[in-house]
Each structure stands twice: as C-alpha cells, then as structure tokens.
Amino acid sequence: MQAWTKPDIPVVPGPARRLRLYDTASRGLVEVPPTDSATARMYVCGITPYDATHMGHAATYVTFDLINRMWRDSGYDVHYTQNITDVDDPLLERATATGVEWTELAAQEIQLFRDDMTALRVIPPQHYIGVVESIDLVSDAVEDLRRAGAVYSVDGDLYFAVKTDPLFGGVSNYDRETMRELFAERGGDPDREGKQDPLDSLLWRHERPGEPSWDSGLGRGRPGWHVECSAIALKYLGMTFDVQGGGTDLIFPHHEMSASGAQVATGEHPFARAYVHQAMVGLDGEKMSKSKGNLVLVSKERLAGADPMAIRLALLTHHYRTDWFWMPSDLADAQARLDVWRGAAGRGSGPDGAAAVDALRAALTNDLDTVAALAAVDAWAESEGDDHEAPALVAVAVDALLGVKL
Ligand code: 5CA
Ligand code: ZN
C-alpha cells in the first residue's frame, strides 16, 4: 500500500544522544538499537480504517515519529513498518451499519489518515502494509504455527494455543485474571465452547455468509487480528526488531499474542527488544474511541482552520506515558506557544543555540520527555541573547527533532 508524503528532515548540527525508552516487557528503560547496529527497526500497529484519525491515534503516531527522528539524528538507517487492519469485525460492522461497501469505507479512511499524517509531518513507514494485500503471507504464518504444533480447530476456525509459548505473558506481565478480562473487552472470545484455553486466540476465521473471505491452504476464510501483525513484522523487519509500538490498549491481548505467535513460529525470542506504549488520550472522562464516538478528529480541526503544527504541539504537551484528556483550550494554547516560538526563530539573535539544541536532545532521548523538551524551547524563546546563529539553529532542531516546522 502506498504510504504518504515524506516531510523534509533537516540535519541538526552538534552531537546526538542515545535514546532510552521504557519497555513494557522488562518494566524499565532500555537502549535500542544495540550499539553495534547500523540500522534501527520499528513496527507500529496501524489503524483499523473505519473512522477518521482522532487525537489519540495522532498522539500514538507522533510519539513513534519522535523515536524515528531521534534514531535518524543518531545516524541510524531506520526501517519502519506499519500495518493497516483493512479487514476486521469493526470495519465490516460499520460498513454494514452505514450501507457503504467495506472496501470503499477502508479506502476513504486510509486516504484521510494519509492526509492527516502528511499535515502533521509524520515520517511515513517504508512498508505500509494492508492485511487484504497480505492474505497469503498471513495464511503462511498460520501454516508455520501449525507445523510448530500450536494450532487447533473449533468448528473450522483455527486457534493459537498459548500454552505452546513458555514465554506467554512476558510482554504484558498481567496475571491471568486481568488477561481474561482484557481479552473479553478487546475482541477476544474467552467463553467460546471447544477452546483448549480461554485465552487462545483466533488465527483464521472460516468463511461466513455475507463476510469477505479468501481461498488458502487453511480453507476459505479470513485472517484473525494478532497474527496479521506478527506475519507482517516478521516479513518486513525480521525477528528481534527494536521497537514494537502502539497504544497501551494493545498491550494485551494484541502485542502479547503477536509476540507469542512469532516466537512459537520461529523458535526464537524476543519478537521485539522493546515494547513501547502510548498512554490513552480521552475526552470528557473517557478513552477516545471510534466505538464510543467521543472523538476530536484531526481532519475536522484542520478543516476548521487549525494549523497542523499547533495540533502536533498540543499532542507533544503531554508525556507519552501519561493518560490525558483533550481540552477545548488545547489548540489555542498550542497556537500561542507556536506563535512565541515562531517569533523567537525570526529574531536576529537569541540565547546560546547549541545549548538549547543539546537540552532538546537530552530531554527527548530521556524516554521522549516532550514536557522537558517544550520547556527547553520555551526557555530559549523567552530569553534574549547575542548568538546570531541561534534562531536558525533552534528552528532546524525543532523541525528535525520535534517535527514542528516554525
Ligand atoms: N489496527 C489495530 C492495530 S493492529 C488498531 O488498534 N487500530 S486502531 O485504529 O484502533 O488504533 C490505531 C492506533 O491508535 C493503535 O496503536 C492504538 O493503540 C492507538 N489508539 C487508539 N485509541 C487511542 C487513544 N484514545 N489514545 C492513544 N492511542 C490510541
Ligand atoms: Zn497490530
């Protein structure tokens, strides 16, 4: 699938710093990629295209964009893959409810997402991969699991037996009770009769009347959710890539299951060196979600005249590991900050530019501390100085590292 337009990414003078990120699996900070690697590999779970990009999605993709930018600043060759869940229950349900062809709905929403990402200056993945274009890849991945003895059938639907992975549970660290609850909440079927373990997850859904399906060696049907991400990540990045990313709502079951499936299929581990999760953005006291409909949409704000750079700055105001609620005043506050920064970047001189850039790098490489990063730029913008190169230098760093074009 075609991704979107790549923004210009200027090179920032001065020494880069090594990025440390919080890893959900080991519950601590890790440095990725390893020091002897020239490449950095990242997989971020993409959208299910049945509604427009909301601020929660945007926060997620901007967070992983910062990782991409910090790695590039360090000179890594970044390999970035993102999927699109362009066939799944919620998409099919929405298409039926609104009387739109499911393929049409997906195509529209994917295009809107591309436009939003372009406006927000998010660097596109090299591999932007839909499930519909990956049916053979996914069915081959299920075959690999079958050869590993990890697959069984319930009335023609194929399931992954979690007991075949001795490391199952190692991504989320949740206890079984929590896993069961979250599994039921997030698309799983713990109570289905005939399963060997309530947590076993669907790999291949046998064809149903009125649903799209494809021929495969597994019989006619369509892929389950988790195996799509393990199959796409393994093909385009390979095992033991650096960062597996998404929102905290994907920790379990999605990232747990994708990692397990890949580990059992390959006999290797870990799936990813770090599992990085964006906290939830909400509205009016609840998680922003397409199913609840409590959305602030990037495209709507853009149409209403919001500067995409102010939207991006509003998202960066919060640390990615803190849940937060979108407030009506957020955009105006971000616009005011952007105006101050733009004014400061347009001056003839300012305080020490190299020091400001180093403060920015120090904050961002410290587990993407955007709160400290924004404070560093504020402090620079609000003071006077006689460094004539500083305004241009800081503008370049804010563009390359924060993705905010002044
Ligand atoms: N297609 C799957 C992943 S394979 C999916 O979760 N799609 S999604 O459209 O529901 O979400 C897209 C991305 O946005 C995911 O990484 C998800 O974790 C993240 N996300 C969804 N809602 C929020 C929210 N309210 N706050 C922050 N991130 C969110
Ligand atoms: Zn995914």
Side-chain angles (χ1 to χ4, degrees), residues 313-320 322-325 330 370-371 374:
L313 208 44
L315 301 171
L316 294 172
T317 308
H318 306 267
H319 188 255
Y320 81 97
T322 311
D323 290 334
W324 58 280
F325 293 101
D330 282 358
T370 53
V371 177
L374 267 51

Side-chain angles (χ1 to χ4, degrees), residues 271-328:
F271 181 48
R273 289 196 172 94
Y275 298 85
V276 178
H277 293 108
Q278 160 72 42
M280 289 294 106
V281 179
L283 185 70
D284 301 332
E286 280 201 86
K287 174 192 159 184
M288 208 177 272
S289 78
K290 289 179 283 207
S291 51
K292 289 202 192 90
N294 57 339
L295 308 175
V296 179
L297 303 179
V298 173
S299 47
K300 215 168 150 192
E301 297 301 328
R302 290 200 290 119
L303 263 177
D307 183 333
M309 293 297 92
I311 301 177
R312 185 164 173 127
L313 208 44
L315 301 171
L316 294 172
T317 308
H318 306 267
H319 188 255
Y320 81 97
R321 287 207 285 127
T322 311
D323 290 334
W324 58 280
F325 293 101
W326 179 269
M327 302 291 281

Side-chain angles (χ1 to χ4, degrees), residues 129-149:
I129 309 294
V131 177
V132 172
E133 62 186 352
S134 309
I135 301 292
D136 290 346
L137 178 71
V138 179
S139 66
D140 286 352
V142 177
E143 294 282 11
D144 289 344
L145 283 169
R146 186 138 77 176
R147 273 190 289 279

Side-chain angles (χ1 to χ4, degrees), residues 9-17 66-76 78 357 361 365 400-401:
I9 314 160
V11 174
V12 188
R17 287 169 174 259
L66 294 179
I67 296 177
N68 194 338
R69 287 169 181 275
M70 296 321 291
W71 279 342
R72 284 166 186 267
D73 189 45
S74 290
Y76 287 110
V78 180
V357 170
R361 280 189 170 117
T365 49
L401 307 179

Side-chain angles (χ1 to χ4, degrees), residues 16-213:
R17 287 169 174 259
R18 267 184 79 67
L19 176 62
R20 284 178 306 151
L21 291 168
Y22 183 83
D23 168 33
T24 302
S26 63
R27 290 179 276 196
L29 292 178
V30 294
E31 283 190 1
V32 278
T35 36
D36 59 354
S37 178
T39 57
R41 293 175 295 158
M42 173 161 75
Y43 184 91
V44 178
C45 282
I47 55 164
T48 305
Y50 70 93
D51 210 335
T53 322
H54 60 61
M55 293 302 171
H57 302 133
T60 289
Y61 298 111
V62 164
T63 287
F64 292 95
D65 189 55
L66 294 179
I67 296 177
N68 194 338
R69 287 169 181 275
M70 296 321 291
W71 279 342
R72 284 166 186 267
D73 189 45
S74 290
Y76 287 110
D77 179 16
V78 180
H79 294 214
Y80 178 18
T81 299
Q82 188 179 127
N83 70 306
I84 311 151
T85 310
D86 54 1
V87 58
D88 201 9
D89 299 345
L91 170 68
L92 299 174
E93 284 159 18
R94 176 67 63 91
T96 306
T98 52
V100 182
E101 195 57 39
W102 66 275
T103 45
E104 189 52 39
L105 175 60
Q108 277 168 18
E109 298 303 343
I110 293 167
Q111 188 51 45
L112 194 54
F113 179 72
R114 289 188 185 107
D115 295 344
D116 288 335
M117 292 298 106
T118 305
L120 293 174
R121 297 182 74 82
V122 172
I123 302 170
Q126 284 90 346
H127 298 287
Y128 190 44
I129 309 294
V131 177
V132 172
E133 62 186 352
S134 309
I135 301 292
D136 290 346
L137 178 71
V138 179
S139 66
D140 286 352
V142 177
E143 294 282 11
D144 289 344
L145 283 169
R146 186 138 77 176
R147 273 190 289 279
V151 179
Y152 65 92
S153 163
V154 178
D155 301 332
D157 293 336
L158 302 182
Y159 278 84
F160 171 59
V162 295
K163 66 162 190 262
T164 55
D165 180 17
L167 300 170
F168 181 77
V171 172
S172 65
N173 299 297
Y174 295 150
D175 58 37
R176 270 194 69 96
E177 195 47 42
T178 309
M179 287 185 189
R180 203 187 153 116
E181 269 167 36
L182 291 175
F183 193 57
E185 230 172 76
R186 298 173 178 166
D189 53 359
D191 300 321
R192 181 165 180 184
E193 295 255 337
K195 284 173 63 176
Q196 293 173 5
D197 183 317
L199 297 179
D200 289 348
S201 60
L202 186 70
L203 290 168
W204 187 260
R205 183 172 155 92
H206 191 259
E207 70 169 322
R208 306 280 200 280
E211 287 187 7
S213 56

